[in-house]
Amino acid sequence: MENKNFIETIIDQDIKNGLDPEALCFRFPPEPNGFLHIGHVKAIVLNFELAKKYKKAKVNLRFDDTNPEKEDQKYIDAIKDNIKWLGYSWNKECYASDYFNQLYEWACMLIKSGKAYIDSQTSDQIALQKGAPTVAGQESPYRRRSKEENLFIFNSMKEGKCKPGEHVLRAKIDMRSPNMLMRDPIIYRVLNSEHPRTKKKWVIFPMYDWTHGESDYIEQITHSLCTLEFKPHRELYDWFLNQIVEKGKIRPKQREFARLNLSHTITSKRKLLFLVEEGIVSGWDDPRMPTISGLKRRGYTPEALKKFVTAAGVAKRENVIEMSLLEFYIREELNQTCNRMMVVHEPIKLTITNLPKDYEEELLVENNPEDSSFGKRKIKLTRSIFIEKEDFMEDPPKKFFRLSIGAEVRLKGAYIIKANKVNYKNNGEIDEVYCTYDQKSRSGSGTEESMRRVKGTLHWVSSTTNVPVVIREYDRLFIHSSPGQFKTEELYRIINPNSATVRNGYAEQEIGKAKEGDLFQFQRKGYYIVDKDSTDKQLVFNKTVSLRDNWKKINKNN
Ligand code: ATP
Ligand code: MG
C-alpha cells in the first residue's frame, strides 16, 4: 500500500467530501527578506510534489511582501532562481502587495461592521494591555470609537497624514480570549519606507495574519500549508476568513506540518542575514551556508536535496534531522554520477629512480568504477611525481597502510613502487622520496606481479604534467550541534574559526577541461565542485562532502 502523509489524507478526505480535485491549489509564500534555506526546500518540495501527485493541482509562488523595511528585489530574484533550480515551475507569480487595494477595502468593511477600530495608544500601552495566557487582557479606551471616526482616521493614515506608531487598525475580537492572538490583533500600521513594488503609493501596510489568509482566499488556495508555529494563528486565520467568504467560493484551509530542523546549522533568515552582514561568511551563497544558493555552490544537487527532505518526512511533531543524513544523500548520488580524478592536496616529490629522465607513459584508467559506461581517461606517468605528504612516513607505526622505507604500495592505475630513501630539507620537511618501480606490475596487466598484495594504493600526479588547482575545504560553521538555540549576537561564541581552509594542489591534466559546476570525486579525498571563482587560468574547487561520514566522530568529541 502506498504510504500517505497526513496532508494527503486530509486532501483525500476533502475530495471525498466533494472538493473538485481540479480546484486543488497550493502556494509557497516566502517573504522576500532573505535567501531560501534547506527548511524552505522542505516546504517547496511538499507543495510542488503534492501538485504532481494530484495531477491537475497548482502551486502559486506568492511573495509575502508586506514589510518594505526588510524586503528587496534581489531576494525575489534569488528565490525564483532557487525554485527553478530545484526543478519546479509555479502556476502564478503573485505578490501580497498586488492585493493592497482589496485588503484595504475589506479592512474598511470590517470597520463599517464594527469589527475593527483605530487604536491611538503607543505600542507600549497596547502591549501592557495584552495580558497573559491565563490573565485576560484589557480593552483599549479607543475600542468604542465611532465607525465614522475610525474610517476618517484610517483614511488619513492611508493618505500619509499620520506618523508611524500614531495610530494602528485593530480587529475587534476578544481581549479575554485564551488565544493571545485573538486579543484585538493589529491589522494595519503606518510605515515610512518605500515599497520595492508599490513604491510610495501605500504607506499603510497590512500585518501578516490579515494578509495571509485573505491572499489565500483571493488566489482560491485550497490548502494553505505552513509550519507548526502557525497553529495558534489558525483561529485568527479562520476568523478573518469568516468576515469575507462568499458562497460558492473555495474556503482555504490552513494546515500545519513540522518544520525541518537540521543539526549543526541555523534556519532563521534573521540569523543567516547576521552571518552575511557581519562578514562571517562571504555572502548568502557561501558554500558553508544552509541556503539553497550555498548548497548549490557547495555541490549539492536538486535531486539529493529532494531525496533528503522527502526522507525527513512530513510530520506533525518537531524533530531534528542529523546533518549526516543530508550528506548521505549527496554522497550516494555523486558516487554514481562523478568521474574520478587524482588530485594531490599537499604534495611531496617522489622520484622513480629506475625510470629514465624523460620517461613518459600514458596509462588508461576508469572514470567511474561504479559504471563502465563512463569510459576511461589517460593519465601520464613521469619519472618524478607528487604524492600526498601524509601518504609517506619514514618510520611509521604498525598500522600505517601507505608508503614507508622498504614498503611497497601501488600507484593508482600504474605500478607498484618501493621506497628506498628520503631526503629532508634544512627545516626538517621532506624534500624528496626515492623509489623503484616494478616494471611487470602494471595495473590490469594480469601478470603475477600485478596481483601482488601491497600496503595500499596511493593517488598521485605527474610533477611535470599537471594542472595546479585551488582547493577549498569546509568544516562545520558552528561548533555546537544546535546553534539555533543561541541568540543572534551570541552566534560569535560558537563560530568554528577553522570552517574554511584553502590549499594549492595539483591535479591530473584531464581536469583542465572542467567547467563551473562540474563535480568530481577526487580519489581518496571526497567530492568537489568547480566554483564560480574559477578563471581561464585557475580552477577553484569547493569540497562538497567527504567520502565517508565524519559526523559520528564529531558528535562523540562534543
Ligand atoms: P521569517 O518569517 O522569519 O522571515 P521564515 O523562515 O518563516 O522566516 P518565510 O519566507 O515566511 O520564512 O517562509 C516561507 C514558507 O516556508 C513558510 O510557509 C514557512 O512555513 C516555510 N518554512 C520556513 N522555514 C521552514 C522550515 N525550517 N521547514 C519547513 N518549512 C519552512
Ligand atoms: Mg515566515
Side-chain angles (χ1 to χ4, degrees):
M1 207 186 74
E2 194 193 355
N3 225 345
K4 298 213 163 176
N5 65 44
F6 79 97
I7 303 277
E8 289 163 353
T9 309
I10 292 171
I11 296 172
D12 288 348
Q13 195 61 45
D14 288 338
I15 293 173
K16 222 164 139 194
N17 293 340
L19 174 70
D20 176 5
E22 296 203 6
L24 278 177
C25 191
F26 310 102
R27 89 286 171 265
F28 175 64
E31 185 182 347
N33 61 352
F35 276 48
L36 299 179
H37 54 62
I38 183 76
H40 294 113
V41 177
K42 171 155 181 175
I44 294 169
V45 170
L46 172 65
N47 284 290
F48 282 94
E49 292 299 324
L50 277 174
K52 273 192 196 162
K53 204 159 212 167
Y54 296 88
K55 306 282 184 257
K56 299 212 166 155
K58 301 181 184 77
V59 184
N60 288 350
L61 169 60
R62 178 187 328 133
F63 290 101
D64 180 16
D65 57 344
T66 50
N67 185 0
E69 289 175 347
K70 301 217 166 120
E71 295 159 7
D72 201 314
Q73 183 62 38
K74 71 170 184 243
Y75 298 131
I76 294 179
D77 297 340
I79 289 169
K80 284 162 64 178
D81 278 353
N82 286 163
I83 300 173
K84 280 188 224 157
W85 179 75
L86 284 172
Y88 296 120
S89 36
W90 49 88
N91 178 45
K92 288 190 199 145
E93 179 178 329
C94 308
Y95 293 83
S97 57
D98 288 343
Y99 311 140
F100 281 176
N101 239 338
Q102 174 70 81
L103 291 169
Y104 173 75
E105 275 165 27
W106 277 332
C108 292
M109 193 180 84
L110 285 189
I111 295 176
K112 285 179 198 154
S113 58
K115 289 180 174 167
Y117 63 96
I118 300 288
D119 199 335
S120 308
Q121 302 181 94
T122 64
S123 57
D124 287 345
Q125 284 169 320
I126 293 175
L128 277 175
Q129 293 161 355
K130 267 260 145 157
T134 52
V135 182
Q138 290 164 340
E139 296 189 350
S140 161
Y142 294 98
R143 208 170 192 262
R144 283 153 204 264
R145 230 173 195 154
S146 73
K147 292 172 192 171
E148 292 69 30
E149 192 182 351
N150 280 325
L151 278 176
F152 178 80
I153 303 176
F154 192 41
N155 190 57
S156 314
M157 285 164 68
K158 176 177 174 260
E159 297 296 313
K161 294 176 185 153
C162 309
K163 286 195 282 296
E166 206 178 326
H167 309 285
V168 291
L169 183 67
R170 296 176 73 177
K172 195 191 277 186
I173 307 182
D174 180 6
M175 287 307 289
R176 310 178 66 85
S177 170
N179 182 348
M180 300 282 289
L181 294 164
M182 300 297 280
R183 296 185 183 176
D184 293 7
I186 294 173
I187 57 179
Y188 265 98
R189 69 230 201 267
V190 173
L191 291 176
N192 260 343
S193 23
E194 187 171 317
H195 188 280
R197 288 172 61 84
T198 60
K199 306 295 175 202
K200 290 183 176 151
K201 182 168 176 215
W202 292 91
V203 291
I204 51 168
F205 292 93
M207 300 296 286
Y208 172 85
D209 286 302
W210 171 244
T211 314
H212 202 83
E214 314 313 75
S215 302
D216 284 342
Y217 180 70
I218 293 170
E219 292 172 27
Q220 289 288 279
I221 302 299
T222 51
H223 298 83
S224 180
L225 309 173
C226 59
T227 34
L228 278 181
E229 67 269 24
F230 289 101
K231 199 158 199 151
H233 294 247
R234 200 205 280 188
E235 192 182 356
L236 183 54
Y237 181 96
D238 285 331
W239 191 92
F240 283 142
L241 280 180
N242 285 341
Q243 314 309 314
I244 57 159
V245 269
E246 296 156 285
K247 263 216 172 99
K249 293 198 107 185
I250 300 272
R251 185 195 161 97
K253 245 185 197 181
Q254 174 185 306
R255 289 296 177 270
E256 310 83 11
F257 60 95
R259 56 190 291 123
L260 178 80
N261 299 307
L262 188 59
S263 74
H264 294 93
T265 195
I266 48 175
T267 47
S268 146
K269 279 190 279 184
R270 198 165 29 83
K271 291 177 187 169
L272 294 172
L273 177 65
F274 177 79
L275 299 178
V276 173
E277 285 184 336
E278 292 287 300
I280 296 168
V281 294
S282 64
W284 285 97
D285 69 347
D286 185 298
R288 291 165 295 178
M289 290 282 269
T291 53
I292 299 179
S293 301
L295 289 161
K296 175 185 174 197
R297 198 166 163 202
R298 181 77 178 255
Y300 276 82
T301 63
E303 292 68 31
L305 293 182
K306 285 188 213 173
K307 275 194 184 155
F308 166 70
V309 297
T310 307
V314 182
K316 285 192 199 180
R317 253 188 239 153
E318 293 285 351
N319 57 354
V320 180
I321 310 284
E322 286 297 319
M323 190 64 114
S324 55
L325 190 69
L326 175 62
E327 292 190 352
F328 168 82
Y329 282 102
I330 188 66
R331 192 182 286 121
E332 194 185 55
E333 179 180 324
L334 298 183
N335 181 39
Q336 306 293 322
T337 57
C338 281
N339 278 353
R340 273 49 173 172
M341 206 53 79
M342 291 202 283
V343 181
V344 176
H345 293 224
E346 266 191 287
I348 55 169
K349 201 168 167 193
L350 182 152
T351 296
I352 302 166
T353 51
N354 57 342
L355 281 177
K357 271 222 162 59
D358 52 359
Y359 186 79
E360 280 193 0
E361 180 181 358
E362 266 184 356
L363 297 154
L364 270 182
V365 288
E366 261 185 312
N367 280 327
N368 186 342
E370 301 283 316
D371 186 344
S372 60
S373 73
F374 280 66
K376 295 186 173 176
R377 68 180 188 283
K378 290 176 187 158
I379 51 173
K380 198 170 271 178
L381 178 67
T382 51
R383 184 169 190 262
S384 82
I385 60 174
F386 291 133
I387 64 163
E388 217 63 74
K389 183 175 155 193
E390 62 180 20
D391 281 341
F392 175 81
M393 273 179 102
E394 180 173 10
D395 190 15
K398 246 199 183 133
K399 287 199 169 161
F400 187 72
F401 295 109
R402 301 177 230 180
L403 188 64
S404 52
I405 300 294
E408 283 191 321
V409 294
R410 171 171 295 286
L411 293 178
K412 180 89 193 164
Y415 298 89
I416 292 173
I417 55 167
K418 182 175 169 185
N420 304 310
K421 192 179 143 207
V422 53
N423 270 357
Y424 292 91
K425 297 179 198 163
N426 288 340
N427 63 6
E429 280 181 17
I430 289 170
D431 181 34
E432 199 166 342
V433 180
Y434 298 94
C435 297
T436 42
Y437 87 115
D438 176 351
Q439 199 184 355
K440 293 191 181 134
S441 66
R442 203 183 73 227
S443 270
S445 62
T447 61
E448 216 170 281
E449 288 82 353
S450 72
M451 312 285 192
R452 200 157 73 234
R453 280 180 72 91
V454 291
K455 278 261 185 183
T457 301
L458 308 186
H459 62 279
W460 57 276
V461 171
S462 162
S463 72
T464 47
T465 311
N466 60 49
V467 179
V469 292
V470 173
I471 304 161
R472 296 175 180 156
E473 308 258 345
Y474 299 104
D475 194 355
R476 68 218 149 107
L477 189 51
F478 300 104
I479 50 174
H480 197 280
S481 63
S482 42
Q485 72 190 50
F486 290 80
K487 294 204 192 84
T488 308
E489 317 73 53
E490 291 175 347
L491 288 176
Y492 267 114
R493 283 176 33 206
I494 52 160
I495 295 285
N496 175 5
N498 305 313
S499 62
T501 46
V502 183
R503 282 220 170 85
N504 293 297
Y506 294 94
E508 44 176 295
Q509 233 180 350
E510 179 82 9
I511 215 155
K513 300 176 191 159
K515 301 180 304 300
E516 181 186 335
D518 285 352
L519 280 148
F520 297 95
Q521 185 197 94
F522 290 179
Q523 283 181 310
R524 300 176 65 226
K525 286 293 183 185
Y527 296 94
Y528 293 79
I529 184 168
V530 181
D531 189 68
K532 66 176 187 188
D533 289 343
S534 301
T535 61
D536 289 347
K537 295 204 179 82
Q538 180 76 80
L539 281 170
V540 179
F541 286 88
N542 297 333
K543 182 168 189 173
T544 308
V545 68
S546 55
L547 291 177
R548 270 169 289 277
D549 186 16
N550 309 326
W551 286 100
K552 272 196 205 94
K553 213 162 57 192
I554 291 170
N555 289 336
K556 214 165 80 190
N557 293 341
N558 265 345

